[in-house]
Every structure is written in C-alpha cells, then in structure tokens.
Amino acid sequence: MAASQTVIRSFSHSTRLLLSVAGLLIFFGTWEVSVRTNLLPAGMVPAPSSLWQAWLDEVRGGFWLQAITDSLSHYALGLLIGSVLGASIGLLCGMVAVVDGLLEGIVRLLRPVPGLAWVPFAILWFGLNTAGATFVIAISVFWINFYAAYAAVKNIDPEFYELAAAFGHGGFWGRLFKVVLPASAPGLVAGLRTGLGQGWMSVVAAELFGVPGIGARMMQASSLLATDVVVVYMLTMALLYALTDFLFGFVRKYVLRWQP
C-alpha cells in the first residue's frame, strides 16, 4: 500500500492530467456503449452523443445563457452572505467563550436542518424571487464556513496569544488581527473553497419553487422527460464549479502567499 501511494504521489502534473482525461473518456465511452447496447434504457438515460445537440438547442433558444445568468445572481450573493456571516460568527465563537456558550445550543439545534427544509420559509418570507433563493444558498454555505472558522480558531496554539500579549496585543482586536486571522487563514480559505461547491449543490434546491435559473430549467426539462437537457445542465453546473474553484485558486495563493 505504501509503495503504491508513493508511485501515485510521484506522478507529475501533466501525467495526472492525462490520467484524468483518460478516466473521463472511459466513463463517457462506457456510458455511450451501455445506452447503444440497451444496457441502459435510452428513454431514461440519454447517450452522451445526444448532449451536444441538446446543448446547441438550449443555446440557440437563449435558455442556457439566461439560466446561468439567473443562477449566478443568487449564487454569488448567497455565497457572499453565507460565507461572511458563517466565518465571522465562527471566529467570534472560537475567540469568546461566553458567545460560544450562548450559541452552542442554537447551533446544535439548527445545524442538522438541511437547506431544503428552509424552502417553505423562503417562500413565506421573501416570495418567489431571487431573495428567497439567495437565502437558501446562504444557509447552506453558512454552516461550512462557521465550522471551518471555529475549528481553525480552536486549533491555534495558546502560546501565540501569550506572545501577542507580551507585545501589547492582548485585547480582543489585537488578538484578532495579530493572532487569530493569520493563524486561522488556511482553515478559513478551506471553508470558503468547500462553500463554493456547496453553493452550487444548493442552487437546485433554492430554485425548486420556481425561481429562474439552472435548477428551475432542470425541473422543467425533467417534467417533459427531456433527460438530455437535464444532463446538459448537470454538466453545466459541474463546469461552473470547476471554473469558480479554478479562479479561487488564485485567491488562495494570494491570501496564503506566506506559506512555503
């Protein structure tokens, strides 16, 4: 086992990229063959070769770009709100024992509630609009960033606080800017990156009640048994996540540029 792990780790970036592409080709090739040989029912599972035409039809009709634009509007806002609030409250709970104690019961009560369960309240509170979808996405992203920030603060070596106090930074703001934020930066960034994916996974749930976007378009297509269109938007969400994750990599490198 150890030897195989060593071999895997020794692969260059280009080799890993080639292996990844090969894996995708095998996956889609097997999928295509399975549909064409009726191992998978063609009426229920579209062949990969049919997706290109389905995508072209969506693009020509203006549906694809409009769905992406609509989803990005509440995705970006929900991601921003959920990340900022989650990280901020997580840092506060990690730093201040009183706040941690006061919120512990509330956190244990609300954390298990899935984002989908908030959809009826989103409709009642905000109506069938972007604000309701933003709320559902923000809730889903909030907990990831909360726990990432909380764990990052709790893992800080107490000696750092003593060192900061020795140099006159023993107050709340001194500890926050001189110790907590620098020491917890890797954990915060990891939480933000995970939230990027969770936000996209929440888009479908956020749009279940009719808010325009990728999820709504998928639901419309599924009601018409247009499975090829459904898969097109599934792949669209995967590509959008890959793009946001790639761009976030530059942010991560800048924030953590001090790391070796």
Side-chain angles (χ1 to χ4, degrees):
M1 177 64 72
S4 62
Q5 290 178 347
T6 303
V7 172
I8 293 175
R9 290 171 183 170
S10 66
F11 285 155
S12 64
H13 177 72
S14 58
T15 303
R16 291 182 64 84
L17 180 61
L18 289 174
L19 288 173
S20 178
V21 172
L24 286 173
L25 290 175
I26 293 173
F27 172 74
F28 282 106
T30 304
W31 179 0
E32 181 76 24
V33 171
S34 299
V35 174
R36 290 184 177 273
T37 57
N38 294 321
L39 289 176
L40 294 174
M44 302 300 291
V45 181
S49 57
S50 68
L51 301 180
W52 176 255
Q53 186 59 50
W55 177 73
L56 286 178
D57 293 340
E58 288 294 299
V59 172
R60 290 166 180 167
F63 303 114
W64 188 71
L65 186 58
Q66 186 61 51
I68 292 176
T69 303
D70 291 335
S71 287
L72 278 175
S73 63
H74 42 257
Y75 168 79
L77 188 57
L79 182 69
L80 176 63
I81 295 173
S83 299
V84 171
L85 287 179
S88 299
I89 298 177
L91 289 173
L92 187 62
C93 287
M95 291 181 63
V96 184
V98 174
V99 177
D100 189 17
L102 287 173
L103 296 183
E104 182 178 3
I106 299 175
V107 168
R108 291 181 180 275
L109 175 67
L110 297 180
R111 176 62 185 95
V113 180
L116 188 61
W118 291 98
V119 170
F121 293 100
I123 298 174
L124 291 173
W125 296 342
F126 303 101
L128 301 177
N129 51 41
T130 299
T134 300
F135 171 77
V136 174
I137 295 171
I139 287 288
S140 300
V141 174
F142 173 89
W143 292 113
I144 292 176
N145 287 276
F146 172 86
Y147 278 108
Y150 183 81
V153 175
K154 289 299 185 181
N155 287 329
I156 296 176
D157 191 334
E159 293 184 359
F160 289 163
Y161 295 115
E162 298 177 6
L163 183 62
F167 282 91
H169 301 293
F172 175 82
W173 297 109
R175 289 185 292 123
L176 176 64
F177 289 106
K178 297 298 182 180
V179 178
V180 173
L181 288 179
S184 62
L188 290 172
V189 171
L192 290 172
R193 186 175 186 179
T194 306
L196 290 175
Q198 182 63 40
W200 280 118
M201 287 189 287
S202 303
V203 164
V204 175
E207 295 172 351
L208 279 175
F209 48 93
V211 177
I214 294 175
R217 189 65 182 160
M218 289 175 62
M219 296 302 296
Q220 293 169 4
S222 64
S223 66
L224 299 174
L225 298 181
T227 54
D228 51 352
V229 177
V230 174
V231 175
V232 163
Y233 284 104
M234 290 171 64
L235 294 177
T236 297
M237 292 183 68
L239 290 174
L240 287 172
Y241 167 66
L243 178 61
T244 52
D245 187 65
F246 173 75
L247 294 176
F248 186 77
F250 294 101
V251 177
R252 180 184 181 279
K253 287 183 179 179
Y254 177 78
V255 173
L256 303 179
R257 60 189 182 278
W258 49 269
Q259 284 189 329

